[in-house]
mmCIF file of all heavy atoms in Angstrom:
data_model
loop_
_atom_site.group_PDB
_atom_site.id
_atom_site.type_symbol
_atom_site.label_atom_id
_atom_site.label_comp_id
_atom_site.label_asym_id
_atom_site.label_seq_id
_atom_site.Cartn_x
_atom_site.Cartn_y
_atom_site.Cartn_z
ATOM 1 N N MET A 26 175.769 53.789 -0.849
ATOM 2 C CA MET A 26 176.715 52.752 -0.508
ATOM 3 C C MET A 26 176.010 51.584 0.178
ATOM 4 O O MET A 26 176.302 50.438 -0.115
ATOM 5 C CB MET A 26 177.783 53.346 0.406
ATOM 6 C CG MET A 26 178.737 52.329 0.897
ATOM 7 S SD MET A 26 180.354 52.721 0.337
ATOM 8 C CE MET A 26 181.307 51.983 1.586
ATOM 9 N N LEU A 27 175.094 51.904 1.062
ATOM 10 C CA LEU A 27 174.367 50.849 1.761
ATOM 11 C C LEU A 27 173.498 50.055 0.793
ATOM 12 O O LEU A 27 173.417 48.830 0.878
ATOM 13 C CB LEU A 27 173.511 51.462 2.872
ATOM 14 C CG LEU A 27 172.807 50.485 3.799
ATOM 15 C CD1 LEU A 27 173.831 49.644 4.543
ATOM 16 C CD2 LEU A 27 171.948 51.244 4.795
ATOM 17 N N ARG A 28 172.886 50.760 -0.158
ATOM 18 C CA ARG A 28 172.041 50.092 -1.144
ATOM 19 C C ARG A 28 172.865 49.157 -2.027
ATOM 20 O O ARG A 28 172.441 48.054 -2.355
ATOM 21 C CB ARG A 28 171.334 51.134 -1.999
ATOM 22 C CG ARG A 28 170.295 50.553 -2.901
ATOM 23 C CD ARG A 28 169.542 51.632 -3.596
ATOM 24 N NE ARG A 28 168.747 52.355 -2.605
ATOM 25 C CZ ARG A 28 167.842 53.254 -2.889
ATOM 26 N NH1 ARG A 28 167.620 53.593 -4.129
ATOM 27 N NH2 ARG A 28 167.148 53.853 -1.955
ATOM 28 N N THR A 29 174.067 49.594 -2.395
ATOM 29 C CA THR A 29 174.953 48.763 -3.213
ATOM 30 C C THR A 29 175.382 47.523 -2.448
ATOM 31 O O THR A 29 175.431 46.429 -3.009
ATOM 32 C CB THR A 29 176.196 49.572 -3.634
ATOM 33 O OG1 THR A 29 175.767 50.761 -4.280
ATOM 34 C CG2 THR A 29 177.072 48.777 -4.557
ATOM 35 N N ARG A 30 175.662 47.685 -1.169
ATOM 36 C CA ARG A 30 176.060 46.540 -0.352
ATOM 37 C C ARG A 30 174.935 45.515 -0.266
ATOM 38 O O ARG A 30 175.169 44.309 -0.376
ATOM 39 C CB ARG A 30 176.441 47.018 1.047
ATOM 40 C CG ARG A 30 177.026 45.906 1.890
ATOM 41 C CD ARG A 30 177.390 46.334 3.287
ATOM 42 N NE ARG A 30 178.128 47.592 3.292
ATOM 43 C CZ ARG A 30 178.085 48.456 4.307
ATOM 44 N NH1 ARG A 30 177.353 48.218 5.362
ATOM 45 N NH2 ARG A 30 178.774 49.578 4.247
ATOM 46 N N HIS A 31 173.706 45.985 -0.108
ATOM 47 C CA HIS A 31 172.566 45.071 -0.048
ATOM 48 C C HIS A 31 172.349 44.383 -1.397
ATOM 49 O O HIS A 31 172.019 43.200 -1.448
ATOM 50 C CB HIS A 31 171.298 45.819 0.363
ATOM 51 C CG HIS A 31 171.268 46.178 1.805
ATOM 52 N ND1 HIS A 31 171.229 45.245 2.811
ATOM 53 C CD2 HIS A 31 171.284 47.382 2.410
ATOM 54 C CE1 HIS A 31 171.215 45.851 3.979
ATOM 55 N NE2 HIS A 31 171.251 47.164 3.764
ATOM 56 N N LEU A 32 172.529 45.128 -2.479
ATOM 57 C CA LEU A 32 172.368 44.542 -3.811
ATOM 58 C C LEU A 32 173.410 43.452 -4.054
ATOM 59 O O LEU A 32 173.072 42.370 -4.551
ATOM 60 C CB LEU A 32 172.478 45.620 -4.884
ATOM 61 C CG LEU A 32 172.373 45.133 -6.323
ATOM 62 C CD1 LEU A 32 170.982 44.563 -6.581
ATOM 63 C CD2 LEU A 32 172.684 46.265 -7.277
ATOM 64 N N LEU A 33 174.647 43.714 -3.691
ATOM 65 C CA LEU A 33 175.696 42.701 -3.872
ATOM 66 C C LEU A 33 175.446 41.477 -2.989
ATOM 67 O O LEU A 33 175.689 40.350 -3.402
ATOM 68 C CB LEU A 33 177.062 43.308 -3.577
ATOM 69 C CG LEU A 33 177.553 44.341 -4.590
ATOM 70 C CD1 LEU A 33 178.862 44.959 -4.126
ATOM 71 C CD2 LEU A 33 177.693 43.736 -5.964
ATOM 72 N N ARG A 34 174.937 41.710 -1.786
ATOM 73 C CA ARG A 34 174.628 40.580 -0.910
ATOM 74 C C ARG A 34 173.479 39.746 -1.486
ATOM 75 O O ARG A 34 173.502 38.514 -1.438
ATOM 76 C CB ARG A 34 174.261 41.082 0.475
ATOM 77 C CG ARG A 34 174.004 39.958 1.433
ATOM 78 C CD ARG A 34 173.767 40.446 2.826
ATOM 79 N NE ARG A 34 173.488 39.322 3.695
ATOM 80 C CZ ARG A 34 172.949 39.429 4.878
ATOM 81 N NH1 ARG A 34 172.670 40.610 5.369
ATOM 82 N NH2 ARG A 34 172.707 38.366 5.597
ATOM 83 N N LEU A 35 172.489 40.415 -2.071
ATOM 84 C CA LEU A 35 171.370 39.707 -2.680
ATOM 85 C C LEU A 35 171.843 38.859 -3.857
ATOM 86 O O LEU A 35 171.447 37.692 -3.992
ATOM 87 C CB LEU A 35 170.310 40.702 -3.139
ATOM 88 C CG LEU A 35 169.058 40.122 -3.780
ATOM 89 C CD1 LEU A 35 168.268 39.326 -2.752
ATOM 90 C CD2 LEU A 35 168.218 41.235 -4.364
ATOM 91 N N VAL A 36 172.698 39.421 -4.691
ATOM 92 C CA VAL A 36 173.241 38.671 -5.829
ATOM 93 C C VAL A 36 174.057 37.480 -5.338
ATOM 94 O O VAL A 36 173.952 36.374 -5.875
ATOM 95 C CB VAL A 36 174.090 39.600 -6.728
ATOM 96 C CG1 VAL A 36 174.872 38.806 -7.759
ATOM 97 C CG2 VAL A 36 173.199 40.620 -7.411
ATOM 98 N N ARG A 37 174.865 37.693 -4.309
ATOM 99 C CA ARG A 37 175.666 36.602 -3.758
ATOM 100 C C ARG A 37 174.767 35.504 -3.180
ATOM 101 O O ARG A 37 175.034 34.309 -3.352
ATOM 102 C CB ARG A 37 176.609 37.141 -2.691
ATOM 103 C CG ARG A 37 177.620 36.118 -2.232
ATOM 104 C CD ARG A 37 178.629 36.702 -1.258
ATOM 105 N NE ARG A 37 177.926 37.209 -0.073
ATOM 106 C CZ ARG A 37 178.145 38.396 0.487
ATOM 107 N NH1 ARG A 37 179.024 39.209 -0.031
ATOM 108 N NH2 ARG A 37 177.473 38.779 1.553
ATOM 109 N N ASP A 38 173.692 35.883 -2.494
ATOM 110 C CA ASP A 38 172.777 34.890 -1.931
ATOM 111 C C ASP A 38 172.082 34.085 -3.025
ATOM 112 O O ASP A 38 171.969 32.859 -2.928
ATOM 113 C CB ASP A 38 171.738 35.561 -1.046
ATOM 114 C CG ASP A 38 172.299 35.999 0.289
ATOM 115 O OD1 ASP A 38 173.391 35.526 0.657
ATOM 116 O OD2 ASP A 38 171.632 36.821 0.965
ATOM 117 N N PHE A 39 171.607 34.772 -4.077
ATOM 118 C CA PHE A 39 170.971 34.055 -5.174
ATOM 119 C C PHE A 39 171.952 33.130 -5.875
ATOM 120 O O PHE A 39 171.608 32.000 -6.249
ATOM 121 C CB PHE A 39 170.370 35.027 -6.195
ATOM 122 C CG PHE A 39 168.960 35.419 -5.883
ATOM 123 C CD1 PHE A 39 168.646 36.733 -5.601
ATOM 124 C CD2 PHE A 39 167.953 34.478 -5.877
ATOM 125 C CE1 PHE A 39 167.356 37.113 -5.317
ATOM 126 C CE2 PHE A 39 166.641 34.834 -5.593
ATOM 127 C CZ PHE A 39 166.349 36.166 -5.306
ATOM 128 N N SER A 40 173.174 33.590 -6.064
ATOM 129 C CA SER A 40 174.184 32.748 -6.716
ATOM 130 C C SER A 40 174.501 31.529 -5.856
ATOM 131 O O SER A 40 174.626 30.416 -6.374
ATOM 132 C CB SER A 40 175.454 33.553 -6.969
ATOM 133 O OG SER A 40 175.188 34.649 -7.791
ATOM 134 N N GLY A 41 174.645 31.740 -4.565
ATOM 135 C CA GLY A 41 174.894 30.614 -3.667
ATOM 136 C C GLY A 41 173.745 29.626 -3.665
ATOM 137 O O GLY A 41 173.963 28.403 -3.657
ATOM 138 N N PHE A 42 172.524 30.115 -3.683
ATOM 139 C CA PHE A 42 171.359 29.239 -3.756
ATOM 140 C C PHE A 42 171.377 28.420 -5.035
ATOM 141 O O PHE A 42 171.087 27.219 -5.029
ATOM 142 C CB PHE A 42 170.077 30.070 -3.674
ATOM 143 C CG PHE A 42 168.824 29.270 -3.845
ATOM 144 C CD1 PHE A 42 168.298 28.558 -2.787
ATOM 145 C CD2 PHE A 42 168.182 29.217 -5.071
ATOM 146 C CE1 PHE A 42 167.139 27.816 -2.942
ATOM 147 C CE2 PHE A 42 167.037 28.480 -5.239
ATOM 148 C CZ PHE A 42 166.510 27.772 -4.161
ATOM 149 N N ALA A 43 171.719 29.070 -6.159
ATOM 150 C CA ALA A 43 171.743 28.374 -7.442
ATOM 151 C C ALA A 43 172.800 27.276 -7.456
ATOM 152 O O ALA A 43 172.570 26.191 -7.992
ATOM 153 C CB ALA A 43 172.000 29.362 -8.577
ATOM 154 N N VAL A 44 173.949 27.540 -6.866
ATOM 155 C CA VAL A 44 175.027 26.546 -6.857
ATOM 156 C C VAL A 44 174.670 25.375 -5.949
ATOM 157 O O VAL A 44 174.830 24.212 -6.328
ATOM 158 C CB VAL A 44 176.352 27.208 -6.421
ATOM 159 C CG1 VAL A 44 177.414 26.168 -6.162
ATOM 160 C CG2 VAL A 44 176.813 28.199 -7.479
ATOM 161 N N VAL A 45 174.172 25.668 -4.756
ATOM 162 C CA VAL A 45 173.875 24.603 -3.799
ATOM 163 C C VAL A 45 172.728 23.726 -4.287
ATOM 164 O O VAL A 45 172.792 22.498 -4.216
ATOM 165 C CB VAL A 45 173.547 25.205 -2.407
ATOM 166 C CG1 VAL A 45 172.981 24.157 -1.475
ATOM 167 C CG2 VAL A 45 174.790 25.828 -1.809
ATOM 168 N N ASN A 46 171.676 24.329 -4.816
ATOM 169 C CA ASN A 46 170.495 23.568 -5.231
ATOM 170 C C ASN A 46 170.505 23.191 -6.709
ATOM 171 O O ASN A 46 169.524 22.651 -7.205
ATOM 172 C CB ASN A 46 169.232 24.379 -4.930
ATOM 173 C CG ASN A 46 169.034 24.535 -3.447
ATOM 174 O OD1 ASN A 46 169.202 23.589 -2.688
ATOM 175 N ND2 ASN A 46 168.718 25.733 -3.023
ATOM 176 N N ARG A 47 171.603 23.483 -7.392
ATOM 177 C CA ARG A 47 171.760 23.187 -8.818
ATOM 178 C C ARG A 47 170.601 23.753 -9.639
ATOM 179 O O ARG A 47 170.078 23.113 -10.545
ATOM 180 C CB ARG A 47 171.900 21.688 -9.049
ATOM 181 C CG ARG A 47 173.109 21.112 -8.379
ATOM 182 C CD ARG A 47 173.430 19.737 -8.903
ATOM 183 N NE ARG A 47 174.544 19.151 -8.187
ATOM 184 C CZ ARG A 47 175.810 19.330 -8.529
ATOM 185 N NH1 ARG A 47 176.110 20.083 -9.542
ATOM 186 N NH2 ARG A 47 176.764 18.766 -7.838
ATOM 187 N N ALA A 48 170.213 24.956 -9.287
ATOM 188 C CA ALA A 48 169.167 25.672 -10.017
ATOM 189 C C ALA A 48 169.846 26.684 -10.933
ATOM 190 O O ALA A 48 169.820 27.886 -10.689
ATOM 191 C CB ALA A 48 168.213 26.357 -9.044
ATOM 192 N N TRP A 49 170.469 26.185 -11.976
ATOM 193 C CA TRP A 49 171.282 27.028 -12.851
ATOM 194 C C TRP A 49 170.437 28.006 -13.663
ATOM 195 O O TRP A 49 170.967 28.980 -14.197
ATOM 196 C CB TRP A 49 172.129 26.169 -13.776
ATOM 197 C CG TRP A 49 173.042 25.276 -13.015
ATOM 198 C CD1 TRP A 49 172.959 23.924 -12.915
ATOM 199 C CD2 TRP A 49 174.165 25.668 -12.205
ATOM 200 N NE1 TRP A 49 173.958 23.441 -12.113
ATOM 201 C CE2 TRP A 49 174.711 24.491 -11.664
ATOM 202 C CE3 TRP A 49 174.738 26.891 -11.897
ATOM 203 C CZ2 TRP A 49 175.823 24.519 -10.823
ATOM 204 C CZ3 TRP A 49 175.842 26.913 -11.065
ATOM 205 C CH2 TRP A 49 176.369 25.733 -10.546
ATOM 206 N N TRP A 50 169.149 27.791 -13.757
ATOM 207 C CA TRP A 50 168.280 28.685 -14.515
ATOM 208 C C TRP A 50 168.142 30.041 -13.833
ATOM 209 O O TRP A 50 167.752 31.020 -14.479
ATOM 210 C CB TRP A 50 166.904 28.053 -14.706
ATOM 211 C CG TRP A 50 166.243 27.662 -13.417
ATOM 212 C CD1 TRP A 50 166.346 26.477 -12.772
ATOM 213 C CD2 TRP A 50 165.406 28.484 -12.605
ATOM 214 N NE1 TRP A 50 165.629 26.506 -11.607
ATOM 215 C CE2 TRP A 50 165.031 27.719 -11.480
ATOM 216 C CE3 TRP A 50 164.925 29.782 -12.728
ATOM 217 C CZ2 TRP A 50 164.213 28.228 -10.484
ATOM 218 C CZ3 TRP A 50 164.111 30.284 -11.725
ATOM 219 C CH2 TRP A 50 163.757 29.499 -10.624
ATOM 220 N N ILE A 51 168.472 30.129 -12.551
ATOM 221 C CA ILE A 51 168.349 31.399 -11.840
ATOM 222 C C ILE A 51 169.399 32.406 -12.317
ATOM 223 O O ILE A 51 169.122 33.606 -12.399
ATOM 224 C CB ILE A 51 168.456 31.175 -10.320
ATOM 225 C CG1 ILE A 51 167.214 30.437 -9.826
ATOM 226 C CG2 ILE A 51 168.624 32.479 -9.565
ATOM 227 C CD1 ILE A 51 167.231 30.093 -8.371
ATOM 228 N N LEU A 52 170.594 31.943 -12.663
ATOM 229 C CA LEU A 52 171.670 32.862 -13.049
ATOM 230 C C LEU A 52 171.351 33.630 -14.334
ATOM 231 O O LEU A 52 171.485 34.864 -14.358
ATOM 232 C CB LEU A 52 172.984 32.092 -13.146
ATOM 233 C CG LEU A 52 173.449 31.451 -11.833
ATOM 234 C CD1 LEU A 52 174.711 30.654 -12.045
ATOM 235 C CD2 LEU A 52 173.637 32.496 -10.768
ATOM 236 N N PRO A 53 170.911 32.967 -15.424
ATOM 237 C CA PRO A 53 170.531 33.765 -16.598
ATOM 238 C C PRO A 53 169.313 34.653 -16.340
ATOM 239 O O PRO A 53 169.216 35.755 -16.890
ATOM 240 C CB PRO A 53 170.204 32.730 -17.673
ATOM 241 C CG PRO A 53 170.708 31.449 -17.178
ATOM 242 C CD PRO A 53 170.884 31.553 -15.706
ATOM 243 N N LEU A 54 168.403 34.207 -15.503
ATOM 244 C CA LEU A 54 167.238 35.021 -15.161
ATOM 245 C C LEU A 54 167.672 36.296 -14.455
ATOM 246 O O LEU A 54 167.157 37.381 -14.746
ATOM 247 C CB LEU A 54 166.276 34.217 -14.283
ATOM 248 C CG LEU A 54 165.015 34.935 -13.833
ATOM 249 C CD1 LEU A 54 164.134 35.235 -15.033
ATOM 250 C CD2 LEU A 54 164.271 34.099 -12.824
ATOM 251 N N MET A 55 168.630 36.189 -13.543
ATOM 252 C CA MET A 55 169.143 37.370 -12.858
ATOM 253 C C MET A 55 169.817 38.320 -13.847
ATOM 254 O O MET A 55 169.662 39.540 -13.745
ATOM 255 C CB MET A 55 170.142 36.961 -11.769
ATOM 256 C CG MET A 55 169.501 36.374 -10.549
ATOM 257 S SD MET A 55 170.617 35.789 -9.263
ATOM 258 C CE MET A 55 172.073 36.729 -9.446
ATOM 259 N N ALA A 56 170.546 37.781 -14.808
ATOM 260 C CA ALA A 56 171.216 38.621 -15.803
ATOM 261 C C ALA A 56 170.199 39.350 -16.674
ATOM 262 O O ALA A 56 170.351 40.546 -16.950
ATOM 263 C CB ALA A 56 172.141 37.766 -16.668
ATOM 264 N N VAL A 57 169.150 38.654 -17.086
ATOM 265 C CA VAL A 57 168.115 39.279 -17.919
ATOM 266 C C VAL A 57 167.389 40.371 -17.135
ATOM 267 O O VAL A 57 167.140 41.466 -17.659
ATOM 268 C CB VAL A 57 167.126 38.218 -18.443
ATOM 269 C CG1 VAL A 57 165.898 38.849 -19.059
ATOM 270 C CG2 VAL A 57 167.821 37.311 -19.446
ATOM 271 N N LEU A 58 167.052 40.113 -15.895
ATOM 272 C CA LEU A 58 166.378 41.123 -15.076
ATOM 273 C C LEU A 58 167.270 42.337 -14.841
ATOM 274 O O LEU A 58 166.787 43.477 -14.842
ATOM 275 C CB LEU A 58 165.940 40.512 -13.741
ATOM 276 C CG LEU A 58 164.774 39.532 -13.820
ATOM 277 C CD1 LEU A 58 164.500 38.919 -12.451
ATOM 278 C CD2 LEU A 58 163.538 40.210 -14.355
ATOM 279 N N ALA A 59 168.570 42.115 -14.676
ATOM 280 C CA ALA A 59 169.494 43.237 -14.504
ATOM 281 C C ALA A 59 169.564 44.079 -15.777
ATOM 282 O O ALA A 59 169.568 45.310 -15.716
ATOM 283 C CB ALA A 59 170.878 42.723 -14.129
ATOM 284 N N LEU A 60 169.595 43.423 -16.945
ATOM 285 C CA LEU A 60 169.620 44.162 -18.209
ATOM 286 C C LEU A 60 168.340 44.962 -18.420
ATOM 287 O O LEU A 60 168.384 46.114 -18.861
ATOM 288 C CB LEU A 60 169.823 43.200 -19.378
ATOM 289 C CG LEU A 60 171.255 42.756 -19.611
ATOM 290 C CD1 LEU A 60 171.299 41.680 -20.691
ATOM 291 C CD2 LEU A 60 172.113 43.932 -20.012
ATOM 292 N N ILE A 61 167.213 44.376 -18.100
ATOM 293 C CA ILE A 61 165.943 45.082 -18.234
ATOM 294 C C ILE A 61 165.920 46.300 -17.318
ATOM 295 O O ILE A 61 165.467 47.382 -17.707
ATOM 296 C CB ILE A 61 164.763 44.136 -17.941
ATOM 297 C CG1 ILE A 61 164.627 43.105 -19.059
ATOM 298 C CG2 ILE A 61 163.463 44.907 -17.765
ATOM 299 C CD1 ILE A 61 163.626 42.012 -18.768
ATOM 300 N N THR A 62 166.428 46.139 -16.101
ATOM 301 C CA THR A 62 166.477 47.252 -15.161
ATOM 302 C C THR A 62 167.351 48.381 -15.689
ATOM 303 O O THR A 62 166.981 49.563 -15.613
ATOM 304 C CB THR A 62 167.010 46.771 -13.800
ATOM 305 O OG1 THR A 62 166.177 45.708 -13.333
ATOM 306 C CG2 THR A 62 167.034 47.889 -12.793
ATOM 307 N N VAL A 63 168.495 48.032 -16.244
ATOM 308 C CA VAL A 63 169.390 49.052 -16.809
ATOM 309 C C VAL A 63 168.724 49.758 -17.977
ATOM 310 O O VAL A 63 168.793 50.988 -18.096
ATOM 311 C CB VAL A 63 170.732 48.414 -17.233
ATOM 312 C CG1 VAL A 63 171.561 49.365 -18.077
ATOM 313 C CG2 VAL A 63 171.514 47.982 -16.009
ATOM 314 N N PHE A 64 168.055 49.005 -18.853
ATOM 315 C CA PHE A 64 167.373 49.622 -19.998
ATOM 316 C C PHE A 64 166.255 50.564 -19.543
ATOM 317 O O PHE A 64 166.048 51.618 -20.134
ATOM 318 C CB PHE A 64 166.809 48.565 -20.942
ATOM 319 C CG PHE A 64 167.859 47.853 -21.732
ATOM 320 C CD1 PHE A 64 167.703 46.522 -22.063
ATOM 321 C CD2 PHE A 64 169.003 48.500 -22.166
ATOM 322 C CE1 PHE A 64 168.663 45.864 -22.805
ATOM 323 C CE2 PHE A 64 169.972 47.853 -22.905
ATOM 324 C CZ PHE A 64 169.804 46.530 -23.224
ATOM 325 N N ILE A 65 165.538 50.199 -18.502
ATOM 326 C CA ILE A 65 164.464 51.065 -18.000
ATOM 327 C C ILE A 65 165.051 52.352 -17.430
ATOM 328 O O ILE A 65 164.544 53.445 -17.685
ATOM 329 C CB ILE A 65 163.622 50.321 -16.945
ATOM 330 C CG1 ILE A 65 162.777 49.259 -17.624
ATOM 331 C CG2 ILE A 65 162.752 51.286 -16.161
ATOM 332 C CD1 ILE A 65 162.029 48.352 -16.667
ATOM 333 N N ILE A 66 166.132 52.236 -16.668
ATOM 334 C CA ILE A 66 166.747 53.427 -16.080
ATOM 335 C C ILE A 66 167.292 54.346 -17.161
ATOM 336 O O ILE A 66 167.084 55.558 -17.133
ATOM 337 C CB ILE A 66 167.850 53.015 -15.088
ATOM 338 C CG1 ILE A 66 167.220 52.356 -13.866
ATOM 339 C CG2 ILE A 66 168.698 54.212 -14.678
ATOM 340 C CD1 ILE A 66 168.207 51.722 -12.922
ATOM 341 N N VAL A 67 167.962 53.782 -18.156
ATOM 342 C CA VAL A 67 168.510 54.592 -19.244
ATOM 343 C C VAL A 67 167.376 55.180 -20.081
ATOM 344 O O VAL A 67 167.440 56.341 -20.498
ATOM 345 C CB VAL A 67 169.463 53.748 -20.111
ATOM 346 C CG1 VAL A 67 169.845 54.479 -21.382
ATOM 347 C CG2 VAL A 67 170.705 53.385 -19.313
ATOM 348 N N GLY A 68 166.328 54.426 -20.304
ATOM 349 C CA GLY A 68 165.194 54.917 -21.083
ATOM 350 C C GLY A 68 164.465 56.059 -20.409
ATOM 351 O O GLY A 68 163.998 56.986 -21.064
ATOM 352 N N GLN A 69 164.368 56.014 -19.103
ATOM 353 C CA GLN A 69 163.718 57.103 -18.378
ATOM 354 C C GLN A 69 164.548 58.370 -18.440
ATOM 355 O O GLN A 69 164.004 59.471 -18.491
ATOM 356 C CB GLN A 69 163.480 56.711 -16.925
ATOM 357 C CG GLN A 69 162.360 55.732 -16.746
ATOM 358 C CD GLN A 69 162.163 55.359 -15.296
ATOM 359 O OE1 GLN A 69 162.977 55.674 -14.432
ATOM 360 N NE2 GLN A 69 161.073 54.668 -15.009
ATOM 361 N N ALA A 70 165.846 58.222 -18.445
ATOM 362 C CA ALA A 70 166.718 59.391 -18.498
ATOM 363 C C ALA A 70 166.673 60.028 -19.890
ATOM 364 O O ALA A 70 166.792 61.241 -20.022
ATOM 365 C CB ALA A 70 168.142 59.003 -18.139
ATOM 366 N N ALA A 71 166.499 59.227 -20.931
ATOM 367 C CA ALA A 71 166.518 59.744 -22.298
ATOM 368 C C ALA A 71 165.130 60.126 -22.799
ATOM 369 O O ALA A 71 165.018 60.748 -23.857
ATOM 370 C CB ALA A 71 167.119 58.700 -23.226
ATOM 371 N N ALA A 72 164.089 59.800 -22.085
ATOM 372 C CA ALA A 72 162.728 60.044 -22.562
ATOM 373 C C ALA A 72 162.413 61.513 -22.816
ATOM 374 O O ALA A 72 161.822 61.833 -23.850
ATOM 375 C CB ALA A 72 161.717 59.440 -21.593
ATOM 376 N N PRO A 73 162.771 62.436 -21.945
ATOM 377 C CA PRO A 73 162.412 63.838 -22.221
ATOM 378 C C PRO A 73 163.045 64.373 -23.505
ATOM 379 O O PRO A 73 162.409 65.114 -24.244
ATOM 380 C CB PRO A 73 162.951 64.595 -21.010
ATOM 381 C CG PRO A 73 163.048 63.596 -19.939
ATOM 382 C CD PRO A 73 163.339 62.296 -20.610
ATOM 383 N N TYR A 74 164.267 63.984 -23.776
ATOM 384 C CA TYR A 74 164.939 64.488 -24.970
ATOM 385 C C TYR A 74 164.306 63.930 -26.239
ATOM 386 O O TYR A 74 164.171 64.632 -27.239
ATOM 387 C CB TYR A 74 166.428 64.145 -24.917
ATOM 388 C CG TYR A 74 167.102 64.718 -23.696
ATOM 389 C CD1 TYR A 74 167.559 63.898 -22.674
ATOM 390 C CD2 TYR A 74 167.247 66.090 -23.566
ATOM 391 C CE1 TYR A 74 168.149 64.429 -21.561
ATOM 392 C CE2 TYR A 74 167.837 66.642 -22.437
ATOM 393 C CZ TYR A 74 168.289 65.801 -21.440
ATOM 394 O OH TYR A 74 168.867 66.331 -20.324
ATOM 395 N N THR A 75 163.913 62.682 -26.232
ATOM 396 C CA THR A 75 163.303 62.097 -27.419
ATOM 397 C C THR A 75 161.878 62.570 -27.601
ATOM 398 O O THR A 75 161.425 62.731 -28.729
ATOM 399 C CB THR A 75 163.339 60.556 -27.353
ATOM 400 O OG1 THR A 75 162.680 60.138 -26.157
ATOM 401 C CG2 THR A 75 164.759 60.044 -27.348
ATOM 402 N N LEU A 76 161.151 62.820 -26.532
ATOM 403 C CA LEU A 76 159.776 63.292 -26.656
ATOM 404 C C LEU A 76 159.713 64.738 -27.133
ATOM 405 O O LEU A 76 158.830 65.105 -27.911
ATOM 406 C CB LEU A 76 159.042 63.165 -25.324
ATOM 407 C CG LEU A 76 158.672 61.746 -24.916
ATOM 408 C CD1 LEU A 76 158.024 61.740 -23.547
ATOM 409 C CD2 LEU A 76 157.743 61.115 -25.921
ATOM 410 N N TYR A 77 160.645 65.567 -26.700
ATOM 411 C CA TYR A 77 160.621 66.966 -27.117
ATOM 412 C C TYR A 77 160.906 67.101 -28.603
ATOM 413 O O TYR A 77 160.398 68.013 -29.250
ATOM 414 C CB TYR A 77 161.618 67.784 -26.315
ATOM 415 C CG TYR A 77 161.221 67.946 -24.864
ATOM 416 C CD1 TYR A 77 162.170 67.959 -23.856
ATOM 417 C CD2 TYR A 77 159.888 68.091 -24.494
ATOM 418 C CE1 TYR A 77 161.801 68.113 -22.537
ATOM 419 C CE2 TYR A 77 159.514 68.238 -23.190
ATOM 420 C CZ TYR A 77 160.475 68.244 -22.211
ATOM 421 O OH TYR A 77 160.112 68.401 -20.902
ATOM 422 N N THR A 78 161.699 66.207 -29.155
ATOM 423 C CA THR A 78 161.995 66.310 -30.592
ATOM 424 C C THR A 78 160.797 65.845 -31.429
ATOM 425 O O THR A 78 160.645 66.279 -32.563
ATOM 426 C CB THR A 78 163.227 65.479 -30.960
ATOM 427 O OG1 THR A 78 163.002 64.134 -30.586
ATOM 428 C CG2 THR A 78 164.453 66.010 -30.254
ATOM 429 N N VAL A 79 159.961 64.975 -30.885
ATOM 430 C CA VAL A 79 158.785 64.496 -31.625
ATOM 431 C C VAL A 79 157.724 65.576 -31.692
ATOM 432 O O VAL A 79 157.090 65.790 -32.733
ATOM 433 C CB VAL A 79 158.220 63.216 -30.953
ATOM 434 C CG1 VAL A 79 156.899 62.832 -31.588
ATOM 435 C CG2 VAL A 79 159.220 62.089 -31.070
ATOM 436 N N PHE A 80 157.508 66.306 -30.584
ATOM 437 C CA PHE A 80 156.457 67.323 -30.552
ATOM 438 C C PHE A 80 157.081 68.651 -30.776
ATOM 439 O O PHE A 80 157.019 69.624 -30.429
ATOM 440 C CB PHE A 80 155.685 67.252 -29.236
ATOM 441 C CG PHE A 80 154.976 65.954 -29.075
ATOM 442 C CD1 PHE A 80 155.407 65.009 -28.172
ATOM 443 C CD2 PHE A 80 153.870 65.644 -29.867
ATOM 444 C CE1 PHE A 80 154.752 63.807 -28.017
ATOM 445 C CE2 PHE A 80 153.210 64.449 -29.730
ATOM 446 C CZ PHE A 80 153.649 63.520 -28.791
#
């Protein structure tokens, strides 16, 4: 719960920075980094099952 609160605060701070400084390129960058993070987490969870079927 504490980690989620810090993550939401970080996203809110970056969004506020982007709005105030008109740095709109930060918002898509944050979305891409979040997607990459999700893909890495899901890929790590599925790796043992896919590797066992190969060997």
Side-chain angles (χ1 to χ4, degrees):
M26 175 118 153
L27 187 62
R28 189 174 292 189
T29 305
R30 187 181 313 151
H31 286 295
L32 178 65
L33 291 175
R34 183 175 178 196
L35 181 66
V36 169
R37 189 175 60 227
D38 285 344
F39 271 117
S40 300
F42 176 81
V44 170
V45 169
N46 293 317
R47 298 195 184 272
W49 300 111
W50 56 270
I51 291 177
L52 298 177
L54 180 66
M55 285 177 26
V57 168
L58 288 176
L60 280 173
I61 290 172
T62 303
V63 168
F64 288 146
I65 288 173
I66 291 171
V67 170
Q69 286 179 349
Y74 302 111
T75 57
L76 287 177
Y77 291 144
T78 58
V79 172
F80 297 108

